[in-house]
Amino acid sequence: MIDPHSFTDSTHPLTTHVSLTLYFHFPSSTIHATALLTLQTPHTGPLSLDTRSLTIHKILDPAILAPLPFTLSSSEHPVKGRLLTVYLDNNSSVLILYSTSPSSSALQWLSPPQTFNKTHPFVYTQCHPVHARSVFPCQDTPAARVCYSAKLNLPRELSAVMSARHCDRHDPVGTDLDGLLTNEESGFGFDLKSLWCEEGRVVEEFVMEQPIPPYLFAFAVGELGFREAGPRTRVYSEAVDGVLDAAAREFAGTEEMIRQAERLFGEYDWERFDLLVLPPSFPYAGMENPRMVFLTPTVIKGDASGARVVAHELAHSWTGNLITNKNNEHFWLNEGFTTYAERRIVEAVQGEDIAALNIGIGWRGLNEEMERFKDNMEFTKLKNNQEGVDPDDMYSRVPYEKGFQFLWRIEHQIGRPAFDEFLKKYIATFKFKSIDTETFLDFLKANVHGIEKDIDLKLWTEGTGIPPDAQEPVSNLYIKITSLAKDFKLGRMPREDEVANWKGQEWELYLANLPRAVEASQVLALDARYGLSESKDYEVKVAFLQLAISSRCRDYYGEVEKTLKEVGRMRYLRLLYSGLVQGPGNEEEKILAKRVFAEARECYHPIAQGIVEAIFAKHA
């Protein structure tokens, strides 16, 4: 096996191209589809594919449209889904006719009331880490990089974006479904060809000519608008002027970030860098889909500090999208490198003080994760064993922040100019490849002679916890904020002149360094002076509400409930629900958490629903 999270067999040829036709049926939250998979080489014998929540109607040899025998495993593996085995006879391609189901883990179907505009439905994908298999049958491992083309058939009043180049928007024609049999033979149980060409439908065509891991496959369909934000960047969202204008202002500096990133890491290889601001249920801060980054609306803060998330997703264009971890056991290769690259971009654009704040917030977060995983130290390693583990369950800041610390340590050892040269060479050497930790370490040792004598590479990559040579950042601003947080323990609140210039990140660092629980009266006094519970910056607001929960300051439980109902970003859900249900003597909080989840559940993405259910299973 190539990957603990995939049925992909290392003895089978990998898929190199996928051609999709997708018919969106909003009333049933279903996509009726065909997938033409092209293999590296012709193959005879079984071919293993990953699926989840898919109905397979028929599988054909596309050359002669003759059926190919296949089996679908009867039971669903909790992480991998169902194994689809197709039996080939010297075939180099295979055509699969299938439908998704409303329970597809990658897809969130939003009814009109769940959208900003309240008039049209919306659907989007979140395929990372192992959910592409719920959109189309595939070898759903980052080791299998594919190019793809797609035709999306949707209601005419809607439009689509993808992690691919947009080629055309046209009226549907029967030839869009080349090779599809007549209704009786297709297995769909209805005539897809006549549905495809119905009045009121339109087809959008896309192509991705660079090989990407399946988890970077992405689309969104809804009533979309856009604003130009730079020569290579448009900002898309639902067609709501307020959201579009705020996003365009927040991300106006994107082109400058791209230029700084190119200076650091080499030419930008994806042509465009467009941004899509999704509805509030999107479970992550951002998703680095090539050409079309997906973002939570919580990154629109009104002071351009949300650009930090854009810097992170931009950095992925080199580290993650160009060079990809071979499987999720090496996830730090994506996220540690990207966190390092993001902070270099931020430093170039916003200065050293802001970069040091980001490092400090990350350092605090890394220490919190060590506490969170104290019963499962395997998850504190950079390279870890994920056999039988759902990658969504162990998602944490460890690969981001410990990975960052490792690379920062190497930079300190050899100096920034040498490390910059090393980075450019690393990216140029492995672009469009999927690699593992050993490959990186071999390359490091070959290019930085004697590094293994100065840094314990095995301890950093395979050891648990935080290595002794990891470093907290040093900057005047950082020291000032952390010492003010220490003063709060002694009952001293910061004066207004001390915080006059603070933006969200300063408050975020301050709150992160406060004690877990303080007197409820202190929480109330801090908020009375600085209005943190009302902050437009969700990082600040959620950090403050965490403090209120851990201090059992129940005056803020209404605000906690409101936040859990208006935002589906997984990090915030994890922090607030965990705060409510952990620890002894909090029956009132557990009842509140369960009621709020019951009422808000349908507004969360399926991945986020699973995370909250896992928190309840453990603590409530």
Side-chain angles (χ1 to χ4, degrees):
M1 287 294 168
I2 293 175
D3 187 323
H5 303 125
S6 171
F7 291 116
T8 302
D9 189 316
S10 56
T11 64
H12 298 172
L14 294 177
T15 308
T16 55
H17 191 279
V18 181
S19 179
L20 295 161
T21 62
L22 305 171
Y23 178 91
F24 290 78
H25 190 252
F26 279 92
S28 64
S29 302
T30 306
I31 300 170
H32 302 300
T34 70
L36 175 64
L37 275 53
T38 304
L39 304 175
Q40 274 167 337
T41 52
H43 183 60
T44 298
L47 177 72
S48 302
L49 299 171
D50 296 307
T51 76
R52 180 186 288 138
S53 310
L54 299 181
T55 302
I56 308 298
H57 301 295
K58 202 157 216 175
I59 301 184
L60 305 172
D61 174 343
I64 54 173
L65 295 183
L68 291 169
F70 70 91
T71 57
L72 191 63
S73 61
S74 55
S75 62
E76 178 126 351
H77 185 278
V79 179
K80 297 182 192 177
R82 283 200 159 93
L83 166 63
L84 173 62
T85 309
V86 189
Y87 297 93
L88 304 182
D89 182 10
N90 199 35
N91 299 87
S92 56
S93 59
V94 52
L95 178 65
I96 304 171
L97 285 57
Y98 70 97
S99 300
T100 66
S101 84
S103 62
S104 161
S105 57
L107 295 167
Q108 185 171 24
W109 299 84
L110 299 173
S111 62
Q114 291 173 301
T115 65
F116 281 119
N117 254 356
K118 317 288 185 208
T119 45
H120 293 293
F122 195 100
V123 62
Y124 69 89
T125 54
Q126 172 54 39
C127 289
H128 188 268
V130 292
H131 302 283
R133 66 195 67 182
S134 69
V135 185
F136 59 100
C138 57
Q139 291 159 320
D140 194 4
T141 168
R145 302 180 76 103
V146 293
C147 303
Y148 75 84
S149 59
K151 295 176 182 177
L152 282 59
N153 182 308
L154 31 126
R156 184 174 291 282
E157 62 273 17
L158 305 182
S159 56
V161 293
M162 285 197 88
S163 56
R165 188 171 80 247
H166 186 256
C167 304
D168 194 18
R169 179 180 168 103
H170 62 79
D171 289 336
V173 286
T175 51
D176 288 329
L177 291 170
D178 270 347
L180 192 61
L181 299 181
T182 59
N183 176 38
E184 296 75 59
E185 296 168 293
S186 72
F188 278 108
F190 51 83
D191 188 347
L192 186 59
K193 272 195 167 167
S194 61
L195 260 188
W196 187 270
C197 296
E198 265 183 346
E199 278 289 295
R201 306 288 296 188
V202 70
V203 171
E204 302 241 29
E205 290 198 36
F206 296 86
V207 60
M208 170 45 80
E209 289 160 329
Q210 292 148 307
I212 60 167
Y215 71 77
L216 291 177
F217 175 85
F219 61 71
V221 176
E223 184 190 18
L224 298 172
F226 65 85
R227 296 280 185 275
E228 299 292 344
R232 294 181 260 193
T233 305
R234 280 178 172 175
V235 179
Y236 290 81
S237 82
E238 285 182 69
V240 182
D241 287 345
V243 179
L244 282 166
D245 293 338
R249 281 193 302 274
E250 191 81 22
F251 308 129
T254 301
E255 179 61 25
E256 172 62 12
M257 287 201 292
I258 300 172
R259 282 204 292 266
Q260 292 293 349
E262 287 186 310
R263 183 178 63 76
L264 288 163
F265 315 120
E267 195 180 340
Y268 180 75
D269 260 317
W270 305 93
E271 198 177 325
R272 290 197 60 81
F273 182 72
D274 292 325
L275 308 170
L276 171 68
V277 178
L278 280 152
S281 59
F282 183 59
Y284 292 98
M287 181 61 211
E288 64 270 18
N289 305 310
R291 302 182 65 105
M292 184 61 67
V293 164
F294 285 13
L295 296 167
T296 164
T298 63
V299 298
I300 302 174
K301 301 180 183 191
D303 63 2
S305 65
R308 176 177 84 182
V309 174
V310 175
H312 185 88
E313 307 315 332
L314 170 63
H316 267 302
S317 304
W318 289 268
T319 53
N321 298 7
L322 268 190
I323 305 178
T324 308
N325 51 233
K326 196 171 236 173
N327 63 50
N328 213 67
E329 295 183 329
H330 307 275
F331 187 46
W332 81 273
L333 287 171
N334 280 17
E335 294 301 351
F337 269 92
T338 299
T339 303
Y340 176 85
E342 163 213 328
R343 286 170 184 159
R344 291 294 302 279
I345 296 168
V346 166
E347 183 183 313
V349 175
Q350 298 183 338
E352 283 181 28
D353 259 353
I354 298 298
L357 282 189
N358 290 347
I359 296 168
I361 292 164
W363 173 256
R364 190 81 213 142
L366 180 59
N367 281 278
E368 283 166 13
E369 297 293 33
M370 294 303 148
E371 176 63 23
R372 177 180 154 206
F373 290 131
K374 63 178 185 288
D375 299 331
N376 195 342
M377 292 302 281
E378 181 68 25
F379 293 173
T380 69
K381 296 177 180 178
L382 284 184
K383 178 190 158 208
N384 46 43
N385 177 6
Q386 296 186 19
E387 192 60 54
V389 175
D390 187 332
D392 284 325
D393 289 346
M394 64 166 296
Y395 180 80
S396 79
R397 285 176 285 184
V398 173
Y400 296 74
E401 297 299 343
K402 189 174 177 179
F404 164 80
Q405 283 283 344
F406 180 34
L407 299 173
W408 205 37
R409 174 72 186 85
I410 299 168
E411 184 207 299
H412 283 302
Q413 186 64 41
I414 66 174
R416 181 169 277 189
F419 191 62
D420 283 355
E421 202 176 305
F422 168 80
L423 262 187
K424 276 189 174 155
K425 188 174 178 186
Y426 167 70
I427 291 165
T429 302
F430 295 109
K431 69 193 252 184
F432 296 116
K433 293 189 170 74
S434 299
I435 68 166
D436 57 20
T437 302
E438 286 65 38
T439 304
F440 166 72
L441 292 176
D442 289 345
F443 184 78
L444 175 69
K445 288 184 279 197
N447 286 275
V448 183
H449 296 298
I451 189 73
E452 65 273 28
K453 294 189 190 75
D454 298 314
I455 299 175
D456 188 337
L457 303 178
K458 194 173 168 70
L459 176 72
W460 268 99
T461 51
E462 295 178 41
T464 58
I466 302 176
D469 50 343
Q471 282 183 304
E472 195 171 357
V474 179
S475 86
N476 292 335
L477 182 58
Y478 180 80
I479 291 162
K480 180 189 162 189
I481 292 170
T482 49
S483 65
L484 282 173
K486 286 194 187 93
D487 289 348
F488 191 77
K489 297 172 193 176
L490 310 171
R492 184 173 102 68
M493 207 187 300
R495 296 191 313 271
E496 294 189 20
D497 61 301
E498 291 174 309
V499 303
N501 301 322
W502 284 15
K503 288 184 176 165
Q505 280 149 301
E506 286 87 341
W507 279 112
E508 203 184 323
L509 182 66
Y510 177 76
L511 289 165
N513 280 280
L514 291 183
R516 276 286 168 83
V518 296
E519 294 297 321
S521 59
Q522 287 180 284
V523 177
L524 287 160
L526 185 64
D527 192 45
R529 186 176 291 184
Y530 295 116
L532 301 177
S533 66
E534 307 285 299
S535 176
K536 296 275 181 286
D537 185 332
Y538 276 91
E539 292 292 336
V540 175
K541 182 178 197 159
V542 170
F544 176 79
L545 293 176
Q546 270 185 283
L547 181 69
I549 292 168
S550 61
S551 304
R552 297 282 179 257
C553 185
R554 296 191 168 104
D555 302 58
Y556 293 101
Y557 286 7
E559 196 58 48
V560 170
E561 176 171 345
K562 182 167 159 261
T563 303
L564 287 169
K565 286 181 172 176
E566 68 191 8
V567 177
R569 183 170 164 188
M570 220 149 53
R571 193 166 102 75
Y572 302 154
L573 301 184
R574 183 184 275 123
L575 293 171
L576 294 178
Y577 279 116
S578 296
L580 287 170
V581 301
Q582 276 174 357
N586 57 348
E587 290 316 306
E588 186 184 325
E589 284 76 10
K590 286 181 180 173
I591 291 164
L592 170 68
K594 286 182 171 171
R595 175 179 64 75
V596 171
F597 182 55
E599 291 169 12
R601 187 181 189 282
E602 284 312 303
C603 294
Y604 298 156
H605 188 280
I607 298 172
Q609 291 174 5
I611 292 299
V612 180
E613 281 159 1
I615 291 168
F616 285 173
K618 186 174 177 186
H619 297 290

